[in-house]
Amino acid sequence: MFTAAMLNLGLTLVAGALIAFVCHRRSADSTNDFAGILAFFLSLASVFGIGGAYLTCRHIQNRAPLWAIPTAIGVFAIVLPLASYPNVAPVINWIAGLAAACALISTGIAVTVSGAANSNRNEEMMG
């Protein structure tokens, strides 16, 4: 589970860095602003990654259903664009995209590791 949690957190941080890079390139701001944009999206990615890692570990232990992961994180991807104001809409859309990416990452890791863990448990019971 430690590996799943670290993989989850690492991939969400990579997603946050990629979204920060693309957001910065599309906004055509100065290079001085990139550090602030990167810090902002990495901090959000770490929050989504920690939440996703927690739910992933709960799913691996058969203590949380799989649908809880995309539901918990995906709420941000759906609600934020609907509740935004025109002057912050572009940033909200980038945050929603980050939330959707993190939900997909966490769900994918949960399915992969849970399937491997369940097959190992079945082999131990049989042998």
Side-chain angles (χ1 to χ4, degrees):
M1 280 195 300
F2 179 76
T3 304
M6 291 299 108
L7 183 64
N8 193 339
L9 187 57
L11 288 176
T12 55
L13 288 174
V14 168
L18 288 173
I19 287 178
F21 178 74
V22 172
C23 178
H24 176 69
R25 297 285 291 185
R26 299 214 10 129
S27 68
D29 288 335
S30 69
T31 55
N32 296 336
D33 295 337
F34 181 66
I37 292 171
L38 184 64
F40 176 75
F41 281 107
L42 285 180
S43 64
L44 283 175
S46 67
V47 170
F48 293 141
I50 290 168
Y54 172 75
L55 291 171
T56 297
C57 290
R58 297 284 295 181
H59 177 72
I60 292 168
Q61 295 173 337
N62 291 326
R63 295 183 180 191
L66 184 62
W67 59 264
I69 300 168
T71 301
I73 301 171
V75 165
F76 292 99
I78 295 168
V79 172
L80 284 175
L82 297 176
S84 66
Y85 298 102
N87 59 345
V88 296
V91 174
I92 295 296
N93 291 337
W94 287 110
I95 295 170
L98 177 62
C102 291
L104 290 173
I105 289 168
S106 298
T107 305
I109 292 172
V111 167
T112 304
V113 175
S114 177
N118 287 336
S119 69
N120 286 342
R121 287 183 201 135
N122 290 340
E123 288 176 8
E124 289 175 3
M125 290 179 162
M126 296 289 190

